[in-house]
Amino acid sequence: MPDDRSSEGVPQLPDHGHGHGHGHGHDAPPASTGTRALLTAVLAPFALAALIGALLLYPFGEHPSPTNPTGFARTPVDGQIAGAETGACTLPGSGAAPATSAPSGSGSRGDCLRLRIELRNGPAAGATIEQNVPVEPTTPEFDVDDEVVLAYSGTAPRQGTSYQIVDYQRGHWMLLLFGLFAGAVVVLGRWKGVASLLALGAAFAVIAGFVLPSILAGRNPLQVAVVGAGLIMFFVLYSTHGFSARTSTAVLGTLSSLALIGLLSSVFAALTQLTGLDDSTSALVGALGHGIDARGLLLAGIVIGALGVLDDVTVTQTSAVWELHRANPDLRWRQLYSAALRIGRDHVASSVNTLVLAYAGTALPLLLTYSLSGRSFVDIVTTQDVAQEVVRTLAGSLGLIAAVPLTTAIAALIVMREKPSAAPGGRAHGTDAAELIARGARSGAARATFGTGNAPATGAEHPFRTDPGLELPPTGIPPRSTGSPRPLRSEPAE
């Protein structure tokens, strides 16, 4: 049955336009035309530069391929272990590797793990091959029914010597983990979570579709990383948080901090003479068959790695400034800046710890290896492999620290341009639950006392009016009679 009661008597939420949520307060009121024009004039050249840079750096028509097909560059073939037993490494006709001494204390020499592997795809799908894996401390544990990945050399597809076990198949379990992650994001974030997942996919698309092909084609890695980070930043922030003055302010803060990180990392990588030539980079150069800017590749990793932490800090600081200004529009710029900066100090402390611990966790095997060398702490920290992680961490942390005052200052300057009553109709924006309840209570009390037809017409004459901008909406309830008051009726007790 349709409800024929008028909805005009229900206090309505003011329309605030689309703003940034991020879990920090309410949506912001729409910015004024002057503010939108200012932010567009500042950010449009950077967005245009990112697009032009992508067109200039992308290797159209170029398809770099490895000249030395070893290791990861071989054709991958999936297989399943059908049998596993320990035996000698020198079995005739088995395609075994040369005899290798067993580990000390094993009680035997030349032991190998003999594996029968059923090929699931590739040129000899369905065939079974034998692989002999020397038993060493670094040999993985293989059991029957394990799904593995083999590297196929491209010749003699039915011979075991044409294959080499390189990894396990783990795609199904990783897909399950990603499904749990995506489900948790959507359940908690709802449509905002869906938008963040789409933005994450777009970020991976930029890295896989632009950054990697451009660097492999010989483009300057740092230039490619800066352009790629710009594309990711604009798309991710605006698609996740919407087109608003808040988001534009966060983009401006992120852009400034990224520029600082790029500058610091470039200067100190040159001063510390970092080459960027670690084991992974050396393997990449060997596979490509031509040189690559290894230091530029290191700097590119620093810029892209810092972007994920930066956007969280800048969005949070922008939201803090907006909410503080909404709570007290009378705050001056310095007061607003100081209050938001106090919030940022706690956030940046936890973010720096996150960055440092993430890099330390990644380099943990390397640190353990160097700790066994007996060298001093200073000697270990200044080695090439560790020093590049230290420069990466400290340059990223400095940019993260600078992002708080930079973004806070920019956001305070932008928000101070807005008038507190910038909403349509001249009403102040207030969506706090307490304020809405108070307005509804005042409106209901006035109607209950005076009735719709007898309520004073103006706010100055209304005894219940405490908000000059509050309009008492009409209601479908008939006006109360102005005759003699009716006696109160007592309700029976239940």
Side-chain angles (χ1 to χ4, degrees), residues 147-319:
E147 296 180 333
V148 295
V149 179
L150 303 98
Y152 172 52
S153 62
T155 59
R158 295 186 176 275
Q159 294 293 325
T161 53
S162 301
Y163 298 88
Q164 180 182 359
I165 298 178
V166 293
D167 209 345
Y168 288 97
Q169 296 181 44
R170 52 181 67 94
H172 299 302
W173 297 112
M174 292 186 67
L175 187 61
L176 174 61
L177 180 61
F178 178 78
L180 293 175
F181 162 74
V185 170
V186 172
V187 168
L188 182 62
R190 299 187 180 181
W191 288 114
K192 193 73 91 171
V194 174
S196 65
L197 290 177
L198 294 176
L200 179 63
F204 276 110
V206 171
I207 293 175
F210 168 71
V211 174
L212 299 184
S214 300
I215 293 178
L216 290 176
R219 308 295 192 269
N220 184 286
L222 182 58
Q223 295 177 3
V224 172
V226 169
V227 172
L231 294 175
I232 293 173
M233 176 189 63
F234 278 106
F235 185 86
V236 167
L237 288 178
Y238 280 116
S239 64
T240 304
H241 306 296
F243 289 88
S244 65
R246 275 190 184 186
T247 307
S248 298
T249 304
V251 168
L252 196 55
T254 305
L255 192 64
S256 304
S257 303
L258 270 182
L260 179 61
I261 290 176
L263 178 63
L264 288 173
S265 57
S266 299
V267 170
F268 282 94
L271 291 176
T272 55
Q273 297 181 330
L274 295 179
T275 62
L277 287 172
D278 53 11
D279 293 339
S280 299
T281 307
S282 300
L284 174 63
V285 172
L288 286 175
H290 60 77
I292 193 172
D293 185 359
R295 180 183 292 177
L297 195 60
L298 170 65
L299 300 177
I302 294 175
V303 171
I304 295 178
L307 180 60
V309 185
L310 270 181
D311 62 4
D312 177 65
V313 172
T314 55
V315 167
T316 301
Q317 283 306 111
T318 304
S319 295

Side-chain angles (χ1 to χ4, degrees), residues 118-483:
E118 180 182 350
L119 303 179
R120 294 298 182 86
N121 55 21
T128 300
I129 62 170
E130 289 190 0
Q131 286 275 293
N132 282 9
V133 181
V135 177
E136 297 175 349
T138 57
T139 302
E141 295 183 2
F142 295 105
D143 295 319
V144 177
D145 294 332
D146 281 352
E147 296 180 333
V148 295
V149 179
L150 303 98
Y152 172 52
S153 62
T155 59
R158 295 186 176 275
Q159 294 293 325
T161 53
S162 301
Y163 298 88
Q164 180 182 359
I165 298 178
V166 293
D167 209 345
Y168 288 97
Q169 296 181 44
R170 52 181 67 94
H172 299 302
W173 297 112
M174 292 186 67
L175 187 61
L176 174 61
L177 180 61
F178 178 78
L180 293 175
F181 162 74
V185 170
V186 172
V187 168
L188 182 62
R190 299 187 180 181
W191 288 114
K192 193 73 91 171
V194 174
S196 65
L197 290 177
L198 294 176
L200 179 63
F204 276 110
V206 171
I207 293 175
F210 168 71
V211 174
L212 299 184
S214 300
I215 293 178
L216 290 176
R219 308 295 192 269
N220 184 286
L222 182 58
Q223 295 177 3
V224 172
V226 169
V227 172
L231 294 175
I232 293 173
M233 176 189 63
F234 278 106
F235 185 86
V236 167
L237 288 178
Y238 280 116
S239 64
T240 304
H241 306 296
F243 289 88
S244 65
R246 275 190 184 186
T247 307
S248 298
T249 304
V251 168
L252 196 55
T254 305
L255 192 64
S256 304
S257 303
L258 270 182
L260 179 61
I261 290 176
L263 178 63
L264 288 173
S265 57
S266 299
V267 170
F268 282 94
L271 291 176
T272 55
Q273 297 181 330
L274 295 179
T275 62
L277 287 172
D278 53 11
D279 293 339
S280 299
T281 307
S282 300
L284 174 63
V285 172
L288 286 175
H290 60 77
I292 193 172
D293 185 359
R295 180 183 292 177
L297 195 60
L298 170 65
L299 300 177
I302 294 175
V303 171
I304 295 178
L307 180 60
V309 185
L310 270 181
D311 62 4
D312 177 65
V313 172
T314 55
V315 167
T316 301
Q317 283 306 111
T318 304
S319 295
V321 171
W322 247 262
E323 295 303 323
L324 287 171
H325 182 261
R326 176 192 299 237
N328 189 355
D330 296 328
L331 288 176
R332 294 185 299 238
W333 182 88
R334 183 176 295 276
Q335 294 172 319
L336 184 61
Y337 174 80
S338 300
L341 196 61
R342 285 193 293 271
I343 298 174
R345 289 193 185 104
D346 294 333
H347 192 195
V348 76
S350 60
S351 298
V352 167
N353 287 336
T354 300
L355 199 61
V356 171
L357 293 177
Y359 286 136
T362 303
L364 187 59
L366 180 65
L367 296 176
L368 290 172
T369 302
Y370 278 116
S371 66
L372 296 174
S373 64
R375 302 168 66 180
S376 66
F377 176 77
V378 175
D379 290 339
I380 294 175
V381 170
T382 54
T383 57
Q384 163 70 32
D385 292 337
V386 179
Q388 69 179 20
E389 298 301 325
V390 172
V391 171
R392 185 198 308 270
T393 302
L394 295 183
S397 299
L398 283 171
L400 195 64
I401 294 170
V404 172
L406 279 175
T407 307
T408 305
I410 295 171
L413 288 172
I414 295 297
V415 81
M416 291 299 291
R417 292 173 52 90
E418 301 299 310
K419 297 180 180 180
S421 58
R427 302 180 189 174
H429 286 281
T431 59
D432 290 339
E435 182 179 351
L436 292 176
I437 293 173
R439 290 189 177 192
R442 292 195 297 268
S443 175
R447 287 196 299 271
T449 304
F450 296 102
T452 305
N454 300 328
T458 62
E461 301 169 356
H462 202 302
F464 284 87
R465 184 184 295 275
T466 58
D467 183 359
L470 176 64
E471 297 177 3
L472 296 179
T475 178
I477 303 175
R480 189 184 298 273
S481 172
T482 57

Side-chain angles (χ1 to χ4, degrees), residues 63-153:
H63 303 284
S65 58
T67 57
N68 299 318
T70 59
F72 60 85
R74 292 186 179 183
T75 303
V77 174
D78 295 337
Q80 184 175 14
I81 296 179
E85 58 183 8
T86 303
C89 291
T90 55
L91 295 179
S94 64
T100 305
S101 298
S104 177
S106 64
S108 60
R109 295 180 58 86
D111 286 346
C112 277
L113 186 62
R114 298 172 56 189
L115 302 176
R116 289 184 295 107
I117 304 173
E118 180 182 350
L119 303 179
R120 294 298 182 86
N121 55 21
T128 300
I129 62 170
E130 289 190 0
Q131 286 275 293
N132 282 9
V133 181
V135 177
E136 297 175 349
T138 57
T139 302
E141 295 183 2
F142 295 105
D143 295 319
V144 177
D145 294 332
D146 281 352
E147 296 180 333
V148 295
V149 179
L150 303 98
Y152 172 52
S153 62

